Amino acid sequence: MSRNFLVVDPEEGMPILKGLASPARVAVLKLLHEKGALNVNEIADILDLPQSSVSTNVQMLEEAGLIHTETLKARKGNQKVCRSVYDEILVVFKNEIKETEPDGIEVSMPLGLYTSFEVTAPCGLCSADGIIGLLDVPNTFLDPDRMKTGLIWFTRGYVEYQFPNNARLTNTSIREIEFVMELSSEVPGTSADWPSDITLSVNGAEIGTWTSPGDFGDKRGVFTPDWWKLKGSQYGKLKNFRINDEGAFVDGLRISNTTLNALRLSEHHSIRLRIGVHDDAKHPGGINIFGRGFGNYDQDIVMRLKTR
């Protein structure tokens, strides 16, 4: 069964937040979610609230777009039937990654388009429709259906992607490069306290390591399909890795002194991004990479080249 999600930015979704800012309205939403369509009289009876109060709250929920109402004929006159619109409502601040600048080049890389890999079990691939190949069999990463991948996980090793170096085509030089992806640790089941050192390298130069705090399964990912069991990894953290002349950063915090010069971008027609967990990592907690159809962000791995 498909589910309807609403993602609300508090800075832009104030009418929705006002619609939720009442125990009575929350009770109405919860009731409609559990029972399905009900008319105003039925809601008032079940919640033991005055009909006038229910009518007022229903109107506010309808104006906020949280419920849908329909006037139908009843035995005597008409009745207002209410239906819940969303199964889950997630309140999040928009990430600080801005749209591509006029002097920027952006490429989105589907998860399954890795050009090389070396992984150890537990490992696997999923599409939005189901498991790809066999679980915990590294050779499954060669399965032709990997092109549909929306979730990758493995314990040690790496996957590597080959992005086009489109700056060479435009005869411009790169002043900064960004990689944006949704990541988490990997543990059988889930555990919010399961650190893992996830390391990125570009063109063979290690740019640094981000330590994921855990493997998140406290709630279903916004885009994670219903068939994926709740005891599995649900979502990750959206991380922004940036390299410029000053060093390498993740979400604005320096992770190494590796600069653009070390990447030798002008020498290559492609940009090779490797994502993995080293065998000798201090926190060898595995990795989940979330793409389209999984997690909290409906995107694959994004590369942004800022040129000059």
Side-chain angles (χ1 to χ4, degrees):
M1 181 183 296
S2 62
R3 297 174 67 85
N4 294 315
F5 297 90
L6 175 65
V7 180
V8 182
D9 180 353
E11 296 179 340
E12 299 179 357
M14 195 56 65
I16 295 172
L17 296 183
K18 288 181 178 178
L20 296 170
S22 160
R25 290 193 289 278
V26 170
V28 171
L29 282 175
K30 184 176 180 181
L31 179 64
L32 294 176
H33 177 71
E34 294 175 349
K35 300 290 187 181
L38 296 170
N39 63 40
V40 171
N41 289 336
E42 291 170 330
I43 295 171
D45 289 342
I46 295 172
L47 297 180
D48 194 23
L49 292 172
Q51 183 178 342
S52 59
S53 175
V54 171
S55 295
T56 300
N57 286 308
V58 162
Q59 182 178 350
M60 293 186 68
L61 290 170
E62 185 177 17
E63 291 173 353
L66 295 172
I67 67 171
H68 172 73
T69 64
E70 184 179 7
T71 301
L72 301 175
K73 289 184 178 181
R75 290 182 178 180
K76 296 182 179 180
N78 297 321
Q79 62 176 345
K80 193 171 191 177
V81 177
C82 310
R83 292 180 175 84
S84 177
V85 175
Y86 301 103
D87 298 295
E88 295 186 28
I89 300 171
L90 181 66
V91 179
V92 297
F93 289 99
K94 284 185 177 178
N95 65 74
E96 296 180 355
I97 301 167
K98 297 179 175 61
E99 295 182 0
T100 304
E101 299 173 6
D103 58 349
I105 301 169
E106 180 173 304
V107 178
S108 180
M109 180 67 69
L111 255 59
L113 290 185
Y114 44 82
T115 52
S116 66
F117 70 92
E118 184 177 319
V119 301
T120 63
C123 61
L125 305 172
C126 280
S127 72
D129 300 319
I131 300 290
I132 296 173
L134 301 173
L135 293 177
D136 301 332
V137 177
N139 281 345
T140 282
F141 279 59
L142 295 171
D143 193 306
D145 281 342
R146 67 187 178 89
M147 310 297 283
K148 305 174 184 177
T149 299
L151 174 63
I152 291 176
W153 71 94
F154 54 89
T155 305
R156 307 281 192 283
Y158 66 86
V159 286
E160 186 172 276
Y161 299 86
Q162 196 165 358
F163 287 82
N165 187 354
N166 290 332
R168 289 176 61 100
L169 301 177
T170 58
N171 292 319
T172 55
S173 59
I174 299 171
R175 60 182 173 84
E176 189 169 85
I177 183 170
E178 289 182 350
F179 295 98
V180 185
M181 64 200 79
E182 186 175 355
L183 302 169
S184 79
S185 309
E186 163 57 19
V187 61
T190 65
S191 173
D193 184 17
W194 190 262
S196 184
D197 295 336
I198 298 172
T199 301
L200 269 64
S201 65
V202 177
N203 289 349
E206 189 168 297
I207 66 169
T209 297
W210 170 67
T211 301
S212 168
D215 182 355
F216 308 108
D218 56 313
K219 56 188 174 183
R220 184 171 293 280
V222 174
F223 296 99
T224 300
D226 287 346
W227 67 264
W228 183 251
K229 295 180 180 179
L230 281 171
K231 64 180 181 180
S233 307
Q234 292 294 319
Y235 63 92
K237 301 285 188 181
L238 190 68
K239 309 308 292 182
N240 180 332
F241 296 86
R242 175 167 50 91
I243 310 99
N244 55 31
D245 291 334
E246 298 178 357
F249 305 81
V250 58
D251 297 339
L253 299 176
R254 184 186 295 275
I255 55 173
S256 80
N257 293 322
T258 303
T259 64
L260 283 175
N261 285 337
L263 310 186
R264 307 186 312 278
L265 297 175
S266 62
E267 302 174 17
H268 299 279
H269 290 280
S270 64
I271 299 172
R272 292 178 291 109
L273 170 68
R274 180 172 291 193
I275 311 164
V277 177
H278 290 326
D279 289 339
D280 60 353
K282 181 180 179 181
H283 303 102
I287 183 172
N288 280 285
I289 309 174
F290 298 84
R292 291 192 182 278
F294 276 85
N296 281 349
Y297 302 89
D298 195 25
Q299 69 165 61
D300 290 310
I301 300 171
V302 174
M303 180 188 75
R304 296 191 181 103
L305 303 178
K306 297 184 179 180
T307 59
R308 53 187 163 202

